[in-house]
Structures are given as C-alpha cells and as structure tokens.
Amino acid sequence: MPKSLPIFYSALLLTGVNLLLRLVGTTFQVYLSAALGAAGVGLLQLTMSVGSLAMVAGMAGIRTASMYLTAEELGRKHPENVTWVLSGCFLYSALFSGGCAAALYFLAPRIAEGWIGDIRTLPALRLFASFLPVTCLCGVMTGYFTAANKIGTLAAVGMGEQLCSMAITMLCLTLWAGQDPGKACLCVVLGGNLGNALTLSILAALRLRERAGTGPKIPIAGRLCHAALPLALADVVKSGINTTENLMVPRRLGLNASIADPLAAFGCLSGMVFPILMFPACILFGLAELLIPELARCAAGERHGRISYLTRRSLKVAMLYGIVFSGLMYLLAETLCDKLYHNSQAGETLQLYAWVVPMLYCDAITDAMTKGLGQQQACVRYNITTSALDVAFLYFLLPVYGMQGYFVSFLVTHLINFILSLRRLLQITKVALSPAVPLFSAAGMICAVWGASQFSSPAVRVAAYLGLLMSLLSLFQVIGKEDLRWLNGLIRANKVEMKK
C-alpha cells in the first residue's frame, strides 16, 4: 500500500476542499434566501430536516463504521481484509437504507400534510426516498477512502459532486421552480441526490480499479454491528429529536404574541445565521474526519503516546481556532448579514450565537476523538440525554421567551453534551488539562473584542482584534515557543517529535 501522508497534510488538503465546498454552499444558501425569502427558507429547512432524519436512519452508523473497521484492518497490517469489511458494510447499508426508503415513500403524504404542514413538499420527500439507498452506499465508500487516507481522491470527487449538485439545482430553479417553495424543495433534493449518485459511481469504479487482493473470509457481522448499531441508535434518536424540534419550533413560536411570522423567524436562524456560524468549522471538520481513523489505528497498535499527543494538540487547536472566529463573527455580524441577506435581525442573532462558537468547535473535535477511540455507546447516552432536554426546554420556553428561549436551550444542552464528552475523552486517554488555558484564552478574546469594537471600520476591527488577541494570548502564555516550533516544523515538513 502506498505510503500515506501525515495527518497534518491530509488535514490541510481536506480542509482546503471543505473550505471551498462550504464557501460554495454558503453562497448557494444566500442565493436561496434571496429567491425564497425567510419563510420559504424556513419551509425548505423543515423539508430537509425530515429528509435528514430518513438519511440518518438509512445510514444507520455505516459511514463511521466503514471508516473505523477499515482503519482497524489497515492498522493491523491486513489490507486484504478490507474487501470483506466493505462487503459487509454494503449489505448492511442496503438492508437499512432500503427499509427506510420504503417507509419514507409510503408515509410521505402523511408527513407532508401532518408534520410539515404543506402538501407541496410531497414530491420532494418521495424523490428523496427514491435516492436514499444511493446516498447511504455513498457513505460506505467515503468512509473507506477516508480511512485509507486517500484524501486527494475524496477532494476531487467532492468538488465534482458539489458542482454537479449546484448546477442541476440552480438550473431547475431558474427554468422551472421560480419562487414556489414546494418546487424549490424538489429542485434542491434532485440536485443533491444526483450529486451523490455521481460520487458513488466514481468511488466504486476507483475501488474496483485498485484490484485489491482478498484474504480468507473473516467474520465481520459482529464487529460491524458493534461499531455501527450504537452510532445508529444515537444518530437516529438525535436526528429524530432534532427533526421533532425543527417541526415544533414554528408552532410553539406561534404562541408568542411578539413574533408575527414564526416560520420566517425559524428560517432566519436556521437558514441564515447557522450557515455563517458553522462556515469556519469546515476546517475543523477536515481534521475531525481524519482523527477518527487515525485514533482507531493508534488504539489498534496501542500507541498511547500518540493518542495523548493528538488529544492535547487537537483540543488546543480547536479552542484557539474557535476563539479567533468567535470574536470575528461578533464584530462583523451586522456587516455580514446586511451584505448577504439584507436582514438586520440576522445580524443581531449572529452576534448572540457568536459567543458559543469556541465550545461548538471544540465539541466537534471531541466527538470525533471519542468515536475514534471506540466510545460509541457513551456518545449514545450523551446525545439522547441532551437532545431530549433540548426538546423539553424549547417546548416550555418558546411560547414565553420566543427566540431568546431558543438560545438558552441551545446553550445549556450543547454545554452539557460538551462537558460529558470531554470528561469521557480525558478519562480514557488519561490526559489532564489545566483550566487556566481556556480561561485565559476567553479573557483575551473578550478584551480583544472590546478593544476592536471601538473602531467603526470592519477592516480596522479585524486587524485590531487579531493583533490584540495574539498579543494577549502570548502575554498570558497560551501560545508559547512550543506552539511556534510545532507550527514551524509542520510548515517546513519536518517530523514532529512525539512519543511512540
């Protein structure tokens, strides 16, 4: 097998692609917001929430399981067993996705009318059901290529998929859908699923071209179920609760007298604010994608020093990265939302949510590392608990406090989930972290935001914030010579010295 790239360079490549794709996706979201308005975007978000639930149920944890089991076999130096892993994953995926596709197709009228409240979404739901097995099988192949560290291949195919999806969607919207929300939902689903079909075809062809050898048959069913089913349970329950939450939010907001258009308020948050809030996270998602197989390989090889190193370094990078963009989003929120959406309410909401960015970004990395270390069952417990709490909070808070109640629920439940996941990660890796680093980092961010906010020019604000933040982090010794040497070593392509 060819020598793989170090995780840093693989992460850089995947990061660049994720950043480009997220930029294109955010631009497309802006286009949809302008074409459909906040209420139309809200209806689209509800439709995609139902589709997402069906996809998660059909996927049934197979993408992460495919990645995890492939990484285990490669870590044990048994690449000939990967064929049996993929065969088991394909069969598993076909069974689960086929059942979920049939359920969604036949229940679509009831879902469109009773859950979403708009029968115009029926064709989109049925089209999504028709392509569901393709989408789930695509997850198996992307899991394999990620675990095999073939990031360049995934990068090229991912770019082709995104361009194909957007071209088809925009063509259909322009020539056929107009401003009709029901037709717009159908166009988005069609474009996305044709892109998935393209990806599956290309990745399957590339795997066949490898002409990989096949060893003696190995038992895979038990390992596959052990890896996938806990994730499936967690993902389905969490997605189901999230879908319930999304469908419930406009109705509960309608009981608040101060909100004139609940669907528009929901669309403003989910379709305008959240895409900007999570846009910079695509860089961390590239790292998270690679941490799962990397830690699985390290655990299989009992490389405890490497696990400890990756845990410390990844958490610190995620925290610092989140702090940088938290302040930038707060300072530029009004300017960004005015330029992109011409919506002042979106700017005010983005400022509020910008403060939780460091926690959200650290949570994404923590979640990836716990999965890479085989802690799927712990993830099940945490996700079910916090998601159920979220629905309960929203049910009672939205009619009284409106969107402020949504923020309180969002903050509390995400904080609980992060604390539980981080505690579990530190227990299994036996890594001890000092609270001084995050506290000094947060203090530096708040001071830098205050100082930069004294300027009116957005460009000056950005320069002032970054300068103040870096100075304060250096002063507080959050960033030290060790971090600079580490970064310099990566840039110069030198090996980073670490424990084996």
Side-chain angles (χ1 to χ4, degrees), residues 388-466:
L389 279 175
D390 197 28
V391 171
F393 286 155
L394 290 174
Y395 185 86
F396 292 106
L397 293 176
L398 291 180
V400 180
Y401 300 103
M403 295 308 294
Q404 289 78 17
Y406 191 104
F407 174 75
V408 171
S409 176
F410 184 91
L411 174 63
V412 171
T413 55
H414 280 77
L415 179 60
I416 292 173
N417 189 78
F418 173 58
I419 291 174
L420 291 175
S421 299
L422 181 62
R423 178 174 173 270
R424 183 67 176 179
L425 177 66
L426 298 181
Q427 282 180 339
I428 60 177
T429 59
K430 295 180 172 57
V431 170
L433 298 178
S434 169
V437 173
L439 289 176
F440 280 128
S441 300
M445 179 188 70
I446 293 171
C447 293
V449 166
W450 178 85
S453 65
Q454 307 306 308
F455 302 97
S456 57
S457 169
V460 176
R461 281 187 167 194
V462 170
Y465 174 71
L466 293 177

Side-chain angles (χ1 to χ4, degrees), residues 343-368:
N343 190 314
S344 59
Q345 182 60 44
E348 295 175 5
T349 305
L350 180 58
Q351 276 192 325
L352 180 63
Y353 280 82
W355 293 112
V356 302
V357 162
M359 178 187 68
L360 295 179
Y361 290 8
C362 286
D363 187 44
I365 294 296
T366 302
D367 184 67

Side-chain angles (χ1 to χ4, degrees), residues 195-220:
N196 288 331
L198 175 65
T199 295
L200 176 60
S201 301
I202 295 175
L203 293 182
L206 291 174
R207 170 61 184 174
L208 291 174
R209 284 185 61 185
E210 293 177 0
R211 301 186 183 277
T214 302
K217 188 174 182 179
I218 61 171
I220 197 66

Side-chain angles (χ1 to χ4, degrees), residues 264-282:
F266 175 70
C268 176
L269 178 63
S270 61
M272 298 181 183
V273 172
F274 281 169
I276 297 178
L277 194 76
M278 299 309 294
F279 172 73
C282 64

Side-chain angles (χ1 to χ4, degrees), residues 48-363:
M48 298 310 293
S49 292
V50 174
S52 176
L53 173 59
M55 185 184 71
V56 168
M59 198 77 72
I62 194 58
R63 186 179 185 279
T64 302
S66 171
M67 187 189 310
Y68 183 80
L69 294 177
T70 299
E72 274 195 334
E73 294 302 332
L74 296 178
R76 293 167 179 166
K77 310 299 183 184
H78 295 307
E80 69 278 2
N81 291 340
V82 171
T83 300
W84 297 113
V85 169
L86 292 180
S87 298
C89 289
F90 263 82
L91 178 60
Y92 175 98
S93 181
L95 291 174
F96 276 88
S97 63
C100 291
L104 177 60
Y105 188 90
F106 291 109
L107 293 175
R110 183 176 298 179
I111 293 172
E113 187 174 5
W115 290 14
I116 299 176
D118 196 323
I119 197 64
R120 293 175 296 178
T121 61
L122 173 60
L125 293 175
R126 282 190 161 165
L127 182 64
F128 196 99
S130 301
F131 278 93
L132 187 58
V134 173
T135 302
C136 296
L137 290 175
C138 184
V140 175
M141 295 308 300
T142 55
Y144 159 71
F145 276 86
T146 302
N149 207 6
K150 299 180 180 181
I151 306 305
T153 300
L154 279 180
V157 175
M159 290 177 66
E161 175 190 333
Q162 185 76 357
L163 292 174
C164 174
S165 299
M166 289 193 59
I168 294 172
T169 302
M170 295 183 72
L171 184 64
C172 293
L173 285 172
T174 303
L175 299 180
W176 178 63
Q179 294 185 335
D180 186 304
K183 291 182 178 179
C185 292
L186 186 61
C187 293
V188 172
V189 171
L190 177 64
N193 283 290
L194 287 179
N196 288 331
L198 175 65
T199 295
L200 176 60
S201 301
I202 295 175
L203 293 182
L206 291 174
R207 170 61 184 174
L208 291 174
R209 284 185 61 185
E210 293 177 0
R211 301 186 183 277
T214 302
K217 188 174 182 179
I218 61 171
I220 197 66
R223 292 170 58 198
L224 176 56
C225 291
H226 179 76
L229 290 180
L231 283 176
L233 176 61
D235 290 344
V236 169
V237 171
K238 185 176 181 179
S239 183
I241 294 176
N242 287 341
T243 301
T244 302
E245 172 189 319
N246 289 337
L247 296 173
M248 178 186 70
V249 167
R251 298 185 182 186
R252 299 300 291 174
L253 283 176
L255 302 177
N256 189 296
S258 63
I259 298 179
D261 191 341
L263 195 58
F266 175 70
C268 176
L269 178 63
S270 61
M272 298 181 183
V273 172
F274 281 169
I276 297 178
L277 194 76
M278 299 309 294
F279 172 73
C282 64
I283 293 179
L284 288 179
F285 291 158
L287 175 61
E289 281 283 294
L290 296 170
L291 280 173
I292 294 176
E294 177 72 11
L295 288 174
R297 286 191 289 265
C298 291
E302 297 185 352
R303 300 173 63 193
H304 302 297
R306 171 74 169 167
I307 292 173
S308 177
Y309 174 84
L310 286 175
T311 300
R312 292 176 181 276
R313 182 60 64 185
S314 299
L315 285 174
K316 187 171 185 179
V317 167
M319 180 198 68
L320 293 176
Y321 185 81
I323 281 175
V324 169
F325 279 96
S326 176
L328 289 177
M329 275 189 272
Y330 179 86
L331 294 167
L332 300 176
E334 294 180 355
T335 302
L336 283 173
C337 291
D338 182 60
K339 296 292 185 183
L340 295 176
Y341 308 119
H342 307 289
N343 190 314
S344 59
Q345 182 60 44
E348 295 175 5
T349 305
L350 180 58
Q351 276 192 325
L352 180 63
Y353 280 82
W355 293 112
V356 302
V357 162
M359 178 187 68
L360 295 179
Y361 290 8
C362 286
D363 187 44

